[in-house]
Amino acid sequence: MQQDKHPDYHSVVFRDRAAGYAFLTRSTASSDETIDWDDGETYPVVDVEISSESHPFYTGKARTVDSEGRVARFERRYGAGSGQG
C-alpha cells in the first residue's frame, strides 16, 4: 500500500501585523489561529514579520551603502596605490 506523499495544500491567510496587510493564498503552512476573510469563509492565519508591504526593497525605502566614502577613508588611512606586487 502506497502512502500519499504530498503535503496538505490549502488556502491560508498570511498577515503582516506591522504593515496592517494580509493576503489570501494557497500554502502548506498550517496554524491553529483562524481569521474570517472578506468572502465570509474562515481560514488559518499565519503571522509574518515582513512582507512586500513592509520590506524596504519593495516600499522604496531601502538604504544605499556609501561605498565611495568607505573607499576614500581606506585610501586616506593606508595610502592610494600602495599595492603589494
Side-chain angles (χ1 to χ4, degrees):
M1 184 166 124
Q2 189 173 14
Q3 295 285 334
D4 185 18
K5 295 182 182 180
H6 297 284
D8 181 30
Y9 188 66
H10 53 275
S11 297
V12 177
V13 173
F14 286 94
R15 178 173 55 192
D16 181 351
R17 288 184 178 258
Y21 177 69
F23 59 94
L24 177 65
T25 188
R26 294 184 55 81
S27 175
T28 58
S30 61
S31 174
D32 293 332
E33 191 177 347
T34 60
I35 189 171
D36 294 326
W37 197 243
D38 298 337
D39 61 3
E41 297 290 325
T42 301
Y43 298 103
V45 62
V46 176
D47 289 325
V48 294
E49 293 183 24
I50 198 160
S51 70
S52 61
E53 288 294 311
S54 60
H55 193 282
F57 179 80
Y58 296 109
T59 60
K61 297 178 183 175
R63 297 183 318 185
T64 56
V65 176
D66 181 20
S67 60
E68 183 179 344
R70 290 182 180 182
V71 170
R73 189 168 49 241
F74 178 86
E75 289 177 348
R76 275 196 315 273
R77 185 174 291 168
Y78 299 106
S82 62
Q84 307 229 350

